[in-house]
């Protein structure tokens, strides 16, 4: 089984996909996480991408597709998080693997702003926190590796507005592209209740998720 998680910035795609991975053992492909990892390691592709990311723009399709293809060795068992984000990315993915379900997480503009402005990320391991909803017990340091927590450059209010308008123009058309595979989830509740709804609506059970993963 291959799943896509789609939705505006801050909808909780990363949070929810990480939960399903813990529970069902999917392979996580988050283009945002991969890009931030490349930036941390001063990789050339990462540094090229950073210019777009810091302004809230999409990284060009060519760079994203080159990057994603190097990460895909199997035909199934993937959760795509934040990919595809354009029709061209979606049609390129169709040529690589079949997509079973597309989970669309939606929520209001006010909640999005609160989630994104309060997010903090560990500069060493990338673990995410939220100053109000998921604070670190070590305050400004990561509970896992004691790294310093920082605010993402693109989580500043004016960049968030750019990201939201880019989402409306370039990514929202994917709802129509995937309309036959779409599962709609209202994402304003707590993390566990949204996770339970994902599991129910996707129809996941440990047996099913595993048996649909190819070797
Ligand atoms: P990316 O990292 O993918 O950013 P995004 O899609 O804007 O998504 P976010 O990570 O901001 O939000 P999310 O929906 O994952 O929410 P999260 O779970 O983190 O991409 C960054 C940039 O990289 C893009 O702008 C672009 O430049 C580039 N890029 C990436 N992929 C690309 C592609 N395919 N093509 C071109 N360019 C690409 O949650 C957010 C916060 O809310 C966290 O603090 C979390 O703790 C909190 N939270 C989550 N759920 C809840 C809840 N239920 N209750 C309370 N708090 C919650």
């Amino acid at each position: 089984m291959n799943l896509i998680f789609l939705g505006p910035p801050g909808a909780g795609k990363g949070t929810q996909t990480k939960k399903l991975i813990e529970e069902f053992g999917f392979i996580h492909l988050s283009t945002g996480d991969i890009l931030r990892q490349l930036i941390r390691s001063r990789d050339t592709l990462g540094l090229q991408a950073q210019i777009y990311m810091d302004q809230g723009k999409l990284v060009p399709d060519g760079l994203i597709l080159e990057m994603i293809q190097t990460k895909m060795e199997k035909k199934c068992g993937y959760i795509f998080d934040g990919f595809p984000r354009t029709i061209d990315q979606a049609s390129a993915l169709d040529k690589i693997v079949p997509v079973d379900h597309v989970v669309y997480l939606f929520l209001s503009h006010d909640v999005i702003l609160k989630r994104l402005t309060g997010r903090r990320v560990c500069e060493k391991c990338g673990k995410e926190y939220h100053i109000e909803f998921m604070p670190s017990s070590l305050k400004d340091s990561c509970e896992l590796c004691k790294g310093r927590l920082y605010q993402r450059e693109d989580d500043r209010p004016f960049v968030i507005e750019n990201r939201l308008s880019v989402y409306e123009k370039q990514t929202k058309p994917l709802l129509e592209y995937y309309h036959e595979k779409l599962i709609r989830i209202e994402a304003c509740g707590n993390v566990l209740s949204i996770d339970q709804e994902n599991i129910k609506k996707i129809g996941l059970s440990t047996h099913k998720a595993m048996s649909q993963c190819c070797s």
Side-chain angles (χ1 to χ4, degrees):
M1 178 185 290
N2 292 312
L3 303 173
I4 291 174
F5 270 64
L6 187 65
K13 302 180 293 296
T15 305
Q16 292 301 326
T17 51
K18 280 167 194 150
K19 277 217 70 64
L20 289 181
I21 283 145
E22 274 167 38
E23 292 158 336
F24 297 99
F26 285 97
I27 301 163
H28 189 208
L29 278 183
S30 157
T31 39
D33 285 354
I34 299 168
L35 288 167
R36 280 183 291 280
Q37 181 55 46
L38 291 175
I39 293 170
R40 279 198 288 276
S41 60
R42 314 290 300 159
D43 176 276
T44 319
L45 194 151
L47 296 176
Q48 274 175 276
Q50 187 174 20
I51 299 164
Y52 299 92
M53 293 167 77
D54 286 351
Q55 299 175 60
K57 294 180 182 166
L58 291 188
V59 174
D61 290 340
L63 290 184
I64 294 290
L65 292 169
E66 185 188 324
M67 183 180 88
I68 203 100
Q69 271 165 330
T70 64
K71 302 276 175 193
M72 294 181 63
E73 289 165 357
K74 304 200 306 178
K75 281 280 174 202
C76 54
Y78 293 105
I79 296 191
F80 298 98
D81 161 8
F83 172 85
R85 260 173 149 102
T86 62
I87 299 284
D88 283 351
Q89 289 181 17
S91 55
L93 181 63
D94 281 343
K95 296 189 184 99
I96 308 173
V97 291
V99 172
D100 296 283
H101 301 289
V102 178
V103 178
Y104 168 46
L105 300 178
F106 63 97
L107 78 177
S108 73
H109 185 266
D110 289 354
V111 183
I112 289 175
L113 280 185
K114 199 162 184 193
R115 286 196 186 169
L116 293 179
T117 51
R119 171 167 46 196
R120 297 294 180 271
V121 186
C122 174
E123 69 180 1
K124 262 205 212 151
C125 72
K127 182 170 165 55
E128 293 200 358
Y129 298 87
H130 190 282
I131 50 173
E132 188 179 336
F133 308 129
M134 285 171 226
S136 164
S137 58
L138 299 179
K139 214 168 166 237
D140 299 328
S141 307
C142 177
E143 291 170 356
L144 296 183
C145 71
K146 309 254 183 334
R148 186 183 69 92
L149 303 187
Y150 75 100
Q151 181 170 37
R152 270 170 50 171
E153 199 60 27
D154 61 351
D155 279 345
R156 288 173 298 144
F158 73 94
V159 187
I160 293 174
E161 292 304 336
N162 278 351
R163 288 161 67 197
L164 289 170
S165 100
V166 165
Y167 169 78
E168 287 293 324
K169 286 193 205 112
Q170 292 182 262
T171 305
K172 222 169 170 187
L174 290 177
L175 298 180
E176 178 54 30
Y177 185 90
Y178 285 125
H179 72 278
E180 285 173 358
K181 298 179 176 177
L182 212 60
I183 296 173
R184 299 168 65 90
I185 307 266
E186 185 161 13
C188 61
N190 67 50
V191 173
L192 286 181
S193 66
I194 300 166
D195 177 50
Q196 288 309 307
E197 204 180 341
N198 284 330
I199 292 172
K200 197 167 124 200
K201 287 201 174 165
I202 298 167
L204 281 174
S205 64
T206 307
H207 169 71
K208 193 171 172 192
M210 294 308 165
S211 66
Q212 291 191 6
C213 289
C214 46
S215 52

